[in-house]
Amino acid sequence: MAVAPRVFDTAEGLGLAAAEIIASGIQTASADGRRFLLGCPSGRSPGTTYDALARIVVDRQLDLSHLVVVMMDDYLVRSVAGDLVHEDERAAHSCIRFGREEIVAVLSVAAGPGRGITADRLWFPDPADPAAYDGLIRAAGGIDVFLLATGASDGHVAFNPPGSTPESRTRVVELPLATRTDNLGTFPSFGGDLANVPTHGVTVGIATITELSRAVIMLVHGAGKGEATARLLAANGYDDSWPATVFTACRDPQLFVDAAALEAAGVPVP
C-alpha cells in the first residue's frame, strides 16, 4: 500500500519533525524504565534530524541514558590477512566514526554529564559474525524507530543493493558501482575518486528492517532525490529493484519529503 508523504518546506523542517517523534519516544521509554533503540544511517540524509534532536535534548533536558544507537552498516576493507574488516575508524567515511562523533558525542554533550550515551550503547554489525546483529536487536525488543534513507540513483537502503531479497538479513555485501558512485558525493573524504570507495560493506538486511522495527521514517530531501522521491511515492510494496521501498512493508511507515525533492520528482508541492 502506498504511503502518503508528509511534505516540508525545508530539509530542516523535515529533520525537526522526525526528531520530535524520536524525542517523544525516548521520553516515553525512559518513563517506562526501558531502553529506546534508534536505528541510524550515516551520511547527509539524517543530518538535519540529528541536529534537531540535539537541540531538543537541550531544550527538554532529556536523559539519554536509556538510548541505544543502532548503526545500519559500515564500509569494509581487506586486512593484511585478506579478511574483510571494518574501515579504519579514523576515516571520515567510517560509519563507526560517524556514530561515535556525529551522533553519540553530540547527543551526549547535549544531554549533559551522566545523562549521555555510553560506549556500550553504540551498536554496529560485525563482519565476522553479521548474523549475530539480528539476534542482538531481537533480544533487545527491536528497534523503536528506524531512520531510513534512499540512494539517489539505485535506491539502496543501508548497503542493500538492488536485487536484495525480502528475506535478507545482516550480512556482508559487494557494493555495486551505482552505490559507490552515490557515496562519492556523500563523503568528501573519498576525494571524488571512485578508487577510494570500498567495494564491500556490512549491512542490516531487508528483513532486519521489516521484522525488527516498530516504526520507520524514510527521510528524503534535496533536488538530487527526484527519481528516488518518484519511486518511493509510487511504491505500494517492497520492490527489489529499488530497495528503499522496504519502508512500505514496515509497521508504522512514514515518508518525509521536502519541497525540493518533490519538485524534482515533478510532483506539485501542496
Side-chain angles (χ1 to χ4, degrees), residues 35 37 70 123 130-144 146 166-170 204-214 251:
R35 292 184 292 187
L37 271 63
V70 183
W123 296 358
Y133 205 48
D134 290 54
L136 176 65
I137 295 169
R138 189 183 300 277
I143 293 173
D144 293 273
F146 215 140
E167 300 80 20
S168 59
R169 302 185 183 280
T170 304
V204 296
I206 299 301
T208 310
I209 298 170
T210 58
E211 295 178 8
L212 300 180
S213 60
R214 293 190 177 91
R251 289 173 285 181

Side-chain angles (χ1 to χ4, degrees), residues 26-134:
I26 291 171
Q27 286 180 301
T28 298
S30 181
D32 293 342
R34 64 176 181 83
R35 292 184 292 187
F36 183 91
L37 271 63
L38 178 62
C40 293
S42 57
R44 294 173 292 182
S45 293
T48 60
T49 300
Y50 299 145
D51 291 345
L53 183 58
R55 295 194 301 271
I56 292 172
V57 169
V58 173
D59 293 343
R60 298 190 192 178
Q61 298 184 317
L62 290 185
D63 183 349
L64 302 183
S65 58
H66 293 284
L67 175 62
V68 178
V69 172
V70 183
M71 299 301 293
M72 299 181 75
D73 51 30
D74 194 19
Y75 290 105
L76 301 179
V77 295
R78 293 285 179 187
S79 69
V80 174
D83 300 319
L84 285 168
V85 297
H86 286 290
E87 173 63 278
D88 186 338
E89 295 175 20
R90 297 167 295 181
H93 53 272
S94 162
C95 298
I96 295 177
R97 182 211 62 79
F98 187 98
R100 285 176 178 161
E101 297 182 10
E102 301 192 38
I103 304 176
V104 170
V106 173
L107 292 180
S108 294
V109 168
R115 297 161 62 89
I117 306 164
T118 53
D120 62 304
R121 286 185 287 116
L122 171 62
W123 296 358
F124 42 84
D126 181 359
D129 187 13
Y133 205 48
D134 290 54

